[in-house]
Amino acid sequence: MSNPFKARFDAMAGQAFRGTGLADAATIQRGITAAIAMSEVYVDDGVQVFGADSNVPQIVTMIRLFKRFGILKPMRGDVIVVDPDGTPETFKIESITDEDSSSYLVIVVREA
């Protein structure tokens, strides 16, 4: 990992954020492989993004996934279940918008 401080900080902050309700537990699964549990993810609803050739914003949901949970690089179609032990919400990954030494930021679509 190119920035070990960022990874340590994200791990410490994640615990605090989950304790205050700003982070959620989730799982991620690719195809029929076993789901990987993550004790913290950040879900951001109503994020405005702009296309490369458009000034018209699109409203999307983004989820930040942390590499420390041993996840594979996310791919389109991977399934994320937020709050799997409570009131689960299921999302499918559309694309990765950002990656750093600690995490991936993905755009998702809520599944019915």
Side-chain angles (χ1 to χ4, degrees), residues 2-18:
S2 63
N3 190 340
F5 170 79
K6 181 166 179 30
R8 287 192 309 275
F9 176 82
D10 283 345
M12 291 181 345
Q15 292 174 7
F17 287 169
R18 181 138 187 240

Side-chain angles (χ1 to χ4, degrees), residues 18 24-27 38 41 80-89 91:
R18 181 138 187 240
D24 297 289
T27 61
M38 301 172 287
V41 298
I80 300 169
V81 179
V82 175
D83 195 13
D85 297 324
T87 307
E89 288 185 273
F91 300 89

Side-chain angles (χ1 to χ4, degrees), residues 7 9 11 21 25 33 55-56 72-73 83 87-88 90-91 102-104 107:
F9 176 82
T33 63
N55 291 327
V56 179
L72 298 172
K73 184 171 184 168
D83 195 13
T87 307
T90 303
F91 300 89
S102 180
S103 64
Y104 301 101
I107 294 177

